[in-house]
Amino acid sequence: MIDSLRVAVIGVGNNTSALVQGLAFYRNTGSLIGIARPEVDGLAVGDVRVVAAFARSDGKVGKDLHEAIFAAPNNFPRVEADLPPAGVTVQRGLFDATGIERIAGALTGAEVVLYSAPSGRPEIALAYAEAALAAGAAFVNTTADPVARDAGLAGRFAAAALPLIGDDLASQFGVSVLHRTLLDLLAARGLTLAGSYQVNLGGTEDFRNLVANPDAKKRSKANALGSDLVGIAPLGYLPHLGSQKIAHLNIEARGWAGSAVSLDVHLKVHDPAGAAGVNIDLVRLAGAAVRSGRGGYLPEAAALLKSPPGTAV
């Protein structure tokens, strides 16, 4: 029997709520609904265990993880009606780049650190990466802040035989994945792109933060789409949408003899669930690499990311 993969989560927001609830759901049911990879190098979904959690909110710090994931402003729906205590108390996270030694000490025993805090705090993201490196753990950056794209940091993780994965997860079935697939299909069928855009609306705290700090996310979306002809409209925060994201994308193209082709797509998803569906694979890829002594960036993670190393910062 394989040993459980020990994961520490940074940020106890909606994405962590979706991940933690999903882990309980899959252990309890044995279901494979919504799972891309039932196993990654022998690690099943149910083999992942959260052993430490960090947050900055007074409403979450000091609480059991299974209580904290439902604290406001989290609004991802309940998947499991009754979650027993996790036995993991949420600890105080970083407010600035100091306190790395404290965090590193608290990460002892974790094999993978999943950074799932809001984007737009690059100095804090890098501080947590330093703490993971000091603790001997892999680091997975799900935000748009450049961490894995930091060549110096990546080299240090590689030298320590620790994986560094990032940046910015590509949601399991999100607008960027769908948009890029349609653009690739357009090119494969010989059509010429005339112009395209996407609009994103959501009601989570992550959306609220990204409205205030949009630059890194817009750059990451541009990296994912790979075309200067695609426009990214400013993100819209609408609290009544809750954890749902509504996206609209348009593509204008020219076919044979310049004939017009126009495509409009409307997508509605629970954004945190899309993140959890990818995070479960990212942490297992990182965990398997830790156990086999592979460090640095893992090329097999590229398809799950918007801005892997080599893309613009």
Side-chain angles (χ1 to χ4, degrees):
M1 181 177 178
I2 196 163
D3 290 337
S4 294
L5 178 64
R6 303 181 302 279
V7 176
V9 293
I10 311 298
V12 184
N14 279 308
N15 289 358
T16 295
S17 177
L19 178 64
V20 169
Q21 290 193 73
L23 291 174
F25 169 80
Y26 288 111
R27 286 195 201 101
N28 292 342
T29 65
S31 172
L32 294 179
I33 292 174
I35 298 295
R37 298 171 175 83
E39 288 193 2
V40 174
D41 287 344
L43 287 165
V45 172
D47 293 326
V48 175
R49 305 280 176 179
V50 176
V51 297
F54 300 83
R56 306 202 307 180
S57 166
D58 289 337
K60 296 173 182 176
V61 174
K63 291 183 177 179
D64 184 87
L65 178 61
H66 284 176
E67 179 184 1
I69 58 174
F70 298 113
N74 288 11
N75 53 19
F76 183 71
R78 282 184 178 266
V79 175
E80 291 287 281
D82 184 28
L83 277 177
V88 174
T89 300
V90 177
Q91 301 177 62
R92 180 74 67 185
L94 296 176
F95 284 84
D96 54 38
T98 61
I100 291 174
E101 290 185 4
R102 173 177 66 85
I103 299 297
L107 291 175
T108 300
E111 297 172 274
V112 178
V113 176
L114 177 67
Y115 184 72
S116 191
S119 294
R121 302 169 182 167
E123 71 288 349
I124 294 179
L126 289 169
Y128 276 113
E130 291 287 357
L133 183 60
F139 192 78
V140 177
N141 176 37
T142 72
T143 77
D145 296 323
V147 176
R149 285 170 288 170
D150 184 317
L153 184 63
R156 291 166 59 208
F157 267 83
L162 294 171
L164 176 63
I165 297 178
D167 299 311
D168 201 7
L169 64 85
S171 186
Q172 190 174 23
F173 195 78
V175 64
S176 294
V177 169
L178 179 59
H179 204 161
R180 181 60 183 259
T181 299
L182 290 172
L183 292 176
D184 288 346
L185 178 62
L186 201 78
R189 304 301 293 177
L191 280 76
T192 300
L193 179 65
S196 185
Y197 66 83
Q198 65 171 254
V199 179
N200 296 272
L201 307 171
T204 65
E205 279 297 289
D206 193 42
F207 255 87
R208 186 175 72 84
N209 171 69
L210 289 171
V211 168
N213 302 284
D215 293 345
K217 193 67 173 180
K218 289 187 71 173
R219 176 68 267 171
S220 191
K221 277 185 171 290
N223 288 341
L225 295 171
S227 173
D228 293 334
L229 294 177
V230 178
I232 309 296
L235 297 170
Y237 171 61
L238 300 174
H240 72 274
L241 292 179
S243 70
Q244 294 181 106
K245 177 170 75 175
I246 295 176
H248 176 80
L249 66 88
N250 165 269
I251 296 175
E252 302 292 333
R254 297 290 180 266
W256 179 259
S259 58
V261 175
S262 182
L263 175 68
D264 289 279
V265 177
H266 179 85
L267 177 67
K268 187 175 183 179
V269 296
H270 277 281
D271 209 27
V278 172
N279 282 339
I280 189 61
D281 288 350
L282 290 174
V283 297
R284 288 184 294 164
L285 287 171
V290 166
R291 293 180 177 188
S292 64
R294 294 176 59 210
Y297 176 64
L298 305 180
E300 60 266 36
L304 304 177
L305 302 164
K306 287 191 181 85
S307 294
T311 56
V313 175

